[in-house]
Amino acid sequence: MTHHDSVRLRLQAIEAQLREHQHWQDLPPDASVFESTQPFCMDTLEPLEWLQWVLIPRMHQLLDSEQPLPQSFAVMPYYEIALEASHPFRAIILPELEQLDALFAGDDD
């Protein structure tokens, strides 16, 4: 399995978790939210919205066009802070994001 294949599988697993736990939205947000200059669009999108509307589509675009993927990449640290300890989805999504991050740290385990 190629690195691109592994990344695509991780993205699909994250999407599946978002869908299964009703964090997937059917309608996109207003286009203006994507004009944010803040990391993770933190001033315009909720953390889980950013996964759906920014990270997943952008990574799929890179994969589909066979573009180089980021060399250094980590989103889990943001989600450890952004999702409160009491957030019911936190324990589900953090391991998924950790596995995605590991693919960009050279650790495919």
Side-chain angles (χ1 to χ4, degrees):
M1 178 178 302
T2 69
H3 184 251
H4 276 55
D5 292 338
S6 297
V7 171
R8 190 176 303 276
L9 286 175
R10 280 289 104 227
L11 294 172
Q12 291 169 342
I14 291 167
E15 179 177 338
Q17 289 294 342
L18 289 167
R19 287 180 184 278
E20 181 179 337
H21 296 276
Q22 288 76 46
H23 291 289
W24 192 262
Q25 300 173 357
D26 292 328
L27 299 174
D30 187 78
S32 65
V33 304
F34 302 107
E35 296 171 9
S36 172
T37 58
Q38 297 291 313
F40 301 97
C41 298
M42 63 177 54
D43 59 335
T44 59
L45 289 173
E46 293 297 318
L48 298 175
E49 290 176 321
W50 183 84
L51 286 174
Q52 177 181 352
W53 300 111
V54 179
L55 178 70
I56 292 172
R58 287 187 184 170
M59 292 298 286
H60 278 298
Q61 286 174 339
L62 291 174
L63 294 166
D64 292 345
S65 61
E66 298 180 6
Q67 295 296 311
L69 298 176
Q71 294 294 310
S72 180
F73 180 84
V75 295
M76 191 190 69
Y78 168 66
Y79 283 87
E80 287 180 307
I81 295 167
L83 297 178
E84 295 181 15
S86 61
H87 194 290
F89 192 57
R90 189 177 198 270
I92 295 164
I93 199 64
L94 288 183
E96 295 289 343
L97 296 174
E98 183 176 32
Q99 290 178 48
L100 178 65
D101 289 354
L103 294 173
F104 294 92
D107 180 7
D108 292 89
D109 294 330

